[in-house]
Amino acid sequence: MLAASLLTSSAPGTPKSDDATKKPLEAASKPQKLPKSRPSPIFLKDEEIEEKHVRGWGNGGQKLNKTSSCVQLLHIPTNTMVICQDTRSLQQNRKIARKRLAEKLDHL
């Protein structure tokens, strides 16, 4: 019985657990997050881009070396070139290359 009373009683001078959890929220102390401004997306015009499909190189086997799945994009006004040979698919490489070209032009 003595052990049970020691477990339930708290030491004198310490707050109860209910008092510690009922603190008021301090909204003024937290810094407010401002929304991040996104730059306007760059739209690439097809007449400004010269696209070439060349044969692949490197690791990937005979299929990669025999097909023209590598994409070279040249942005004519800025003379910026991007080469993409990430996958064995021409369509996927075109999408990746256009995305990289847009990112590269965004940083200029």
Side-chain angles (χ1 to χ4, degrees), residues 18-38:
D18 293 337
D19 294 338
T21 58
K22 293 183 181 179
K23 290 183 179 179
L25 296 176
E26 297 177 13
S29 66
K30 293 183 181 178
Q32 301 226 348
K33 292 183 180 179
L34 298 175
K36 293 181 180 179
S37 62
R38 293 184 179 172

Side-chain angles (χ1 to χ4, degrees), residues 44-90:
L44 300 174
K45 297 178 184 176
D46 288 335
E47 57 268 3
E48 293 180 349
I49 298 174
E50 183 180 321
E51 185 172 336
K52 292 181 186 176
H53 306 285
V54 295
R55 296 230 173 149
W57 63 86
N59 297 336
Q62 183 179 5
K63 168 85 171 132
L64 178 71
N65 297 329
K66 288 176 67 175
T67 59
S68 298
S69 61
C70 180
V71 178
Q72 289 183 351
L73 294 181
L74 175 67
H75 189 247
I76 298 169
T78 60
N79 202 22
T80 304
M81 180 177 275
V82 173
I83 299 172
C84 180
Q85 185 191 344
D86 290 353
T87 66
R88 289 169 56 179
S89 171
L90 177 67

